[in-house]
Amino acid sequence: MGITIIHTADLHLGKKHDTLPKDTAKHVAEKQFDTLRRIIELADKNNAAAILISGDLFDSPAVQEGVSSRAAAILGGTDIPVFISPGNHDFYSPPSPYNRISWPGNVYIFNTREIEKYDLGDFVVYGAAFRSQTVTDSLLKGFRNDDPRPSFMALHSELNASSPRFSPITTGEIAESGLTYLALGHTHQRSEIKTAGSAAYAFSGCPQGSGFDETGEKGVYLITYDDKLSAEFIPIPAPQFRLLEVELSASEDPAETILDRLPPDSREHLYKISLTGELAMSHEVYDKINGLLSGHVLFSKLTDNTRLPKVIWESAEEDSLKGLFISMLKQRAESGAYPEELIERAARFGIAALDGEEI
């Protein structure tokens, strides 16, 4: 019968999400606990033999006690052994959440820079801890597994880093380790399962994104070893940060065009929407878009990358202040001395001001 392991990392419980509105930030932070709960449910469903958390379970080494207590209660809701290797955000120290509360008996927290070993009968688990925010030397350096049983390690590290700050391990060290599988944390983008020597390794990425640099579906790795190793990425339902580009050139109603592009589950997710195409974007149109979006997405951030319709330059022939303004801008545009984006932005703001619109 095979050995099943859940590999996760970088949940960052207790993160403030300061760039989001207060209510949205609170909602996203609360969903992080749901994500952790779903990971435990997934482990139970698959009869996992262990759960490896490769660092940054918490966003800070000084999160509120209520955050760490809730995490401990969730992790203690299973009989499966849970192994935590503290990372650079939640490094192990006297005042860290790993020391301030009592942890359930099934949770094992690595607390030294030296790699420790746990014997689970059919296999062994290794791990080590950050003891400070930066670790400029490799925690894996010099390690060699000498146990013939399947061996797994949870480690928070950067791989082949050019400017080492966070336990910079190398593929050579992984190859020399003799491990069956190295479960890595720190990089929030998951990697594919790779090999170095006989050792397999991967970054699981974060199970829930926390910004528009962490977009799309997130999850965990389900690792199975039965004479050979296999891995499956399992998505975890959670709020996603999504990027959406909407072309508005032919749109009669920009707000409705944007809504038509949203998928059915958009209410659960956060969107950064780039508006493109030729459109004379007014304050009223912008407000209408924002107003309609508020009922269809968890959060939205609009980026106006539209261009003024070419017909706008026809106003240069008008005998008016607007005509004079557009004529001057048109001359500058034709000279090629200024970036097109700058000319279009000046035209947009200038026309809005001349028409008495709020800019």
Side-chain angles (χ1 to χ4, degrees), residues 183-264:
L184 292 168
H186 183 62
T187 298
H188 288 198
Q189 180 66 39
R190 75 178 174 98
S191 69
E192 297 300 319
I193 306 294
K194 301 179 180 179
T195 57
S198 62
Y201 67 95
F203 289 92
S204 63
C206 54
Q208 179 176 324
S210 59
F212 288 107
D213 57 343
E214 298 173 4
T215 58
E217 193 171 61
K218 305 295 181 183
V220 302
Y221 268 125
L222 181 70
I223 304 297
T224 302
Y225 183 80
D226 190 358
D227 293 331
K228 65 178 183 178
L229 187 135
S230 62
E232 181 183 3
F233 175 73
I234 307 293
I236 300 294
Q240 296 175 16
F241 287 80
R242 294 175 171 178
L243 303 178
L244 180 66
E245 182 176 306
V246 183
E247 160 67 51
L248 297 174
S249 293
S251 174
E252 295 181 1
D253 188 333
E256 290 298 331
T257 299
I258 295 168
L259 293 185
D260 287 344
R261 289 288 311 279
L262 294 175

Side-chain angles (χ1 to χ4, degrees), residues 8 23 58 86 92 96 102 106 108 118 123 129 131 145-146 155 230 259 265 302 310 312 318 325 328 357:
T8 188
D23 288 347
F58 301 107
Y92 193 93
S96 81
S102 296
N106 67 311
Y108 304 87
Y118 280 88
F123 64 101
R131 297 281 306 200
N145 170 54
D146 57 3
L155 203 63
S230 62
L259 293 185
D265 66 347
L302 293 180
K310 290 182 173 57
I312 200 72
E318 294 180 7
F325 173 68
M328 292 173 61
E357 294 183 4

Side-chain angles (χ1 to χ4, degrees), residues 170-182:
T170 67
T171 48
E173 290 169 346
I174 297 174
E176 290 295 321
S177 71
L179 291 166
T180 303
Y181 180 73
L182 175 58

Side-chain angles (χ1 to χ4, degrees), residues 13 36 53 57-58 63 65 67-76 82 84 90 92 96-109:
L13 294 172
L36 182 60
I53 302 178
L57 173 62
F58 301 107
V63 294
E65 190 168 307
V67 172
S68 51
S69 296
R70 288 183 68 184
I74 293 170
L75 296 178
V82 178
I84 303 173
D90 60 353
Y92 193 93
S96 81
Y98 298 119
N99 266 319
R100 293 204 310 270
I101 65 168
S102 296
W103 287 81
N106 67 311
V107 177
Y108 304 87
I109 301 166

Side-chain angles (χ1 to χ4, degrees), residues 304-308 325 329 339-351 359:
D304 182 11
N305 293 318
T306 58
R307 307 180 305 278
L308 282 169
F325 173 68
L329 285 180
E340 183 178 347
E341 291 181 3
L342 181 62
I343 295 292
E344 290 186 351
R345 191 177 304 133
R348 188 189 305 281
F349 290 165
I351 291 170
I359 301 175

